Amino acid sequence: MNTPAPKDLVELARGPATRPAGGRKIDEKLEELMVSARRRRAYVHALAMNYFTPKQYRYAVAWLTKRGYGPNVFPIHHIHPPLSMAVLNNNREAIQALLDGGADPHLSYPTEKGRTSPLQMAIDKLGKLITPFTQREYVKAQGYILEML
């Protein structure tokens, strides 16, 4: 059962993007988020991606990494690492924050159809979007994605 975020956590997500000068409000909210995630057996990066603004999530990635929830770490009972979740949700800001925070786009993990990675997921999504393109243009687009990473 999903429990809604604490009211003040939702309000914080609409507030300032970085930790306020002289205050630790966002740090306190991240602590609350971690406790809530543990209690609900939820994934802290997934909660943070949804509760915080892009700038706050960028800060949260570094904060969570210092506490053992790095961008390449995900609980065994969750299927996707944080970067794959961001790709699935088309969340460009989270993708950038995770890559800047050290997420591995080649991180291989098992799926029902074999193994995949965040990069392969992005390429597969691109392939679905560019069906009108010729095969040659599709290969060029794949090369472009690989060069970007």
Side-chain angles (χ1 to χ4, degrees):
M1 177 166 84
N2 289 341
T3 307
K7 190 181 233 177
D8 53 342
L9 187 61
V10 174
E11 290 171 10
L12 175 70
R14 295 185 193 121
T18 58
R19 191 169 78 180
R24 296 181 174 258
K25 196 162 197 155
I26 197 165
D27 290 348
E28 292 168 7
K29 298 306 170 191
L30 281 162
E31 287 284 351
E32 289 175 20
L33 187 68
M34 281 180 33
V35 169
S36 174
R38 281 189 210 120
R39 187 174 46 241
R40 294 171 22 197
R41 289 193 52 141
Y43 187 36
V44 71
H45 274 280
L47 294 175
M49 272 185 229
N50 291 317
Y51 292 155
F52 293 113
T53 65
K55 281 187 176 179
Q56 289 171 329
Y57 183 64
R58 179 174 293 282
Y59 175 81
V61 169
W63 191 94
L64 291 167
T65 299
K66 288 179 188 174
R67 285 150 185 87
Y69 292 94
N72 295 316
V73 176
F74 59 105
I76 192 112
H77 61 278
H78 287 276
I79 297 171
H80 302 288
L83 188 55
S84 289
M85 291 171 41
V87 168
L88 283 170
N89 293 319
N90 297 320
N91 189 335
R92 290 182 188 187
E93 293 87 0
I95 291 169
Q96 191 62 55
L98 288 162
L99 288 171
D100 292 347
D104 181 2
H106 302 282
L107 180 66
S108 178
Y109 59 95
T111 66
E112 293 132 9
K113 298 177 183 176
R115 297 192 73 75
T116 193
S117 69
L119 178 59
Q120 186 60 51
M121 289 178 69
I123 289 171
D124 291 346
K125 284 186 91 165
L126 178 64
K128 290 177 185 172
L129 294 173
I130 62 170
T131 52
F133 286 171
T134 66
Q135 183 63 27
R136 191 180 76 166
E137 291 167 328
Y138 177 69
V139 170
K140 279 185 192 177
Q142 281 183 318
Y144 177 71
I145 290 174
L146 293 172
E147 286 176 19
M148 286 178 27
L149 300 172

